[in-house]
Amino acid sequence: MTRWFTAAVLVALATGPLAADDGRFVPIDTNRLVVRPSRAVANMTAQTIGLAGDVAANQVQNDGFIKTFNNLFGYTRSGPRLTQPGRSALPNPSLFPSTRYANYNTPVMPTVQRR
C-alpha cells in the first residue's frame, strides 16, 4: 500500500513541473504578497499592548503575595500630613487652598555673614 502511494506521489511530482511550464516569463508581483499595516491596525495593536500591560500591572498589584510582602516590610504610600509636626494638633496649613498662594515677602538666605 505504501509503495503504491509513494509511486503515485513521485509520478505527480515528476509530471507537475513539465505540465505547468509553458515557456513564458511572468514576473512576481511583490506588492500583492506584502500586507501593509494601516494606521487603524497600528493603533489597535498599541491599544492591545497597553491593555495587556495594564492587566498585568493590576494583577501584580492585587496579588496577595505582593500585599503580604508590602505589609511585612512596611511599604505604605504616604499621604498628606493632616497635622503640623510637633506637639501641636493644629491642621497642616498646606491643606487649605488660601495658603498655597505665593507670598511676595519671602525671606532670602544671607550670602555673607556679618560680624
Side-chain angles (χ1 to χ4, degrees):
M1 180 76 172
T2 58
R3 289 182 188 172
W4 287 101
F5 181 71
T6 307
V9 169
L10 289 175
V11 169
L13 287 175
T15 58
L18 297 176
D21 187 20
D22 58 353
R24 64 183 179 140
F25 175 72
V26 179
I28 297 172
D29 185 16
T30 57
N31 290 331
R32 188 179 63 176
L33 300 176
V34 176
V35 176
R36 293 193 174 102
S38 64
R39 285 185 189 250
V41 173
N43 290 339
M44 181 71 81
T45 304
Q47 289 174 353
T48 304
I49 291 170
L51 179 66
D54 291 341
V55 168
N58 286 338
Q59 183 66 28
V60 168
Q61 187 176 9
N62 294 332
D63 189 14
F65 177 75
I66 301 295
K67 284 184 178 179
T68 304
F69 183 82
N70 290 339
N71 289 336
L72 285 176
F73 293 103
Y75 174 76
T76 56
R77 291 188 180 142
S78 61
R81 287 187 80 158
L82 300 177
T83 59
Q84 293 182 11
R87 294 189 199 184
S88 175
L90 293 174
N92 196 348
S94 63
L95 296 174
F96 303 101
S98 63
T99 60
R100 294 189 191 134
Y101 300 121
N103 188 355
Y104 68 92
N105 191 11
T106 306
V108 183
M109 183 68 114
T111 56
V112 178
Q113 186 177 5
R114 295 182 184 164
R115 290 188 179 231

